[in-house]
Amino acid sequence: MMAKQWSGMVGLLALALTACGGGSGGSTPGTVSGNAGGSSSVPVNSISVSGQAPSTEEQKILDDVNAARATAHDCGGAHFAATTALTWNAQLAAAARSHSDDMAHNGYREATAQEPEAPHIGADGSTPQQRITATGYAWQTSGENVAAGYTVGGSNDVVVAWLASPGHCSNIMNPKFREIGVGYVAYKGAKYNSFFTQDFGSK
């Protein structure tokens, strides 16, 4: 039996980047910080998987990610060859939408040097691994990118920003991932008007 691997969590807020999976730093605009993904003992209720076809925005993000994976990329100091396209997975989408909705309605947690993974922790204390598991997805390898304040397309495109950040880019280009779910929530009542989560996995 293969041991489960967590490739890392990567957050992205407005123009402040927070990468989980290597290095350390602050949460000021343009900086990248990181920490290895972990697990906690917080119980997470099961997450409903019904009705998880991609929205127009989520489909565009999936298409842009697969276009990126079709060509080689340098993600910081790591080189990634072109790799296979990701397929949409309703369970990963449910986990991603759950977290995007949480960020929109309960507040996006800013990363700090003490808590670089803060954007990935739910209001209930849940980790990405717990949310993915709560959908019933039996992952062997998984990862997460998050963002807030970006757009789908245009000059402030979220996928372009993710690809410009080494940690996010590495998750997008990781050949171990086979499936993806994307959660996009627009919420005008929050500090940031748009919230994105990408959950990656392979079984």
Side-chain angles (χ1 to χ4, degrees), residues 77-92:
H79 178 76
F80 290 87
T83 189
T84 57
L86 297 170
T87 58
W88 183 264
N89 179 277
Q91 291 167 307
L92 292 173

Side-chain angles (χ1 to χ4, degrees), residues 7-9 15 20 30 42 49 59 63 70 74 84 89 97-98 133 158 166 182 186 188 190-191:
S7 84
M9 304 174 285
L15 296 178
C20 204
V42 176
V49 179
Q59 183 64 53
D63 293 343
D74 286 311
T84 57
N89 179 277
R97 287 180 180 158
S98 171
T133 300
V158 67
V182 178
K188 302 301 182 189
K191 179 178 179 181

Side-chain angles (χ1 to χ4, degrees), residues 44-125:
V44 179
N45 294 327
S46 64
I47 296 173
S48 173
V49 179
S50 62
Q52 299 298 332
S55 68
T56 301
E57 295 85 359
E58 292 162 349
Q59 183 64 53
K60 173 144 179 34
I61 290 169
L62 172 62
D63 293 343
D64 290 349
V65 163
N66 282 333
R69 286 171 65 92
T71 61
H73 278 271
D74 286 311
C75 301
H79 178 76
F80 290 87
T83 189
T84 57
L86 297 170
T87 58
W88 183 264
N89 179 277
Q91 291 167 307
L92 292 173
R97 287 180 180 158
S98 171
H99 190 54
S100 290
D101 188 68
D102 183 37
M103 290 189 294
H105 293 94
N106 295 310
Y108 183 102
R109 294 185 62 212
E110 305 280 350
T112 66
Q114 294 76 28
E115 285 189 286
E117 72 284 357
H120 300 276
I121 305 302
D124 61 357

